[in-house]
Amino acid sequence: MKVIVKAKYITYATVEVDAKDEDEANMRLDVLAKHCPTEFLDTWKTELDEYELDEILEGYKYG
């Protein structure tokens, strides 16, 4: 059986932002996430958070 799985991951990335406090850092991270979401893909740790069967592409093959 061949299926498409929708998977959600949690990643931990080190990102440098030019900010004076936590609020400004969060604001800059929001902008970065909207415009350059792949910046968060360079990670040292990734964990599978949840998954679900999305679509069946091929049925079970006998034998």
Side-chain angles (χ1 to χ4, degrees):
M1 181 173 268
K2 189 183 283 187
V3 298
I4 293 176
V5 177
K6 186 187 305 181
K8 189 186 298 184
Y9 287 86
I10 296 174
T11 59
Y12 299 86
T14 302
V15 179
E16 252 185 74
V17 292
D18 186 19
K20 296 176 186 154
D21 58 26
E22 186 177 347
D23 290 336
E24 186 178 358
N26 279 320
M27 181 189 71
R28 292 187 184 273
L29 286 172
D30 285 343
V31 171
L32 185 63
K34 288 177 186 168
H35 297 286
C36 304
T38 56
E39 286 292 317
F40 299 99
L41 294 177
D42 184 19
T43 63
W44 54 274
K45 184 178 178 185
T46 303
E47 297 174 1
L48 179 61
D49 185 34
E50 61 183 70
Y51 63 91
E52 65 182 72
L53 177 65
D54 191 55
E55 182 180 342
I56 296 175
L57 297 176
E58 292 179 9
Y60 178 74
K61 293 182 182 178
Y62 296 98

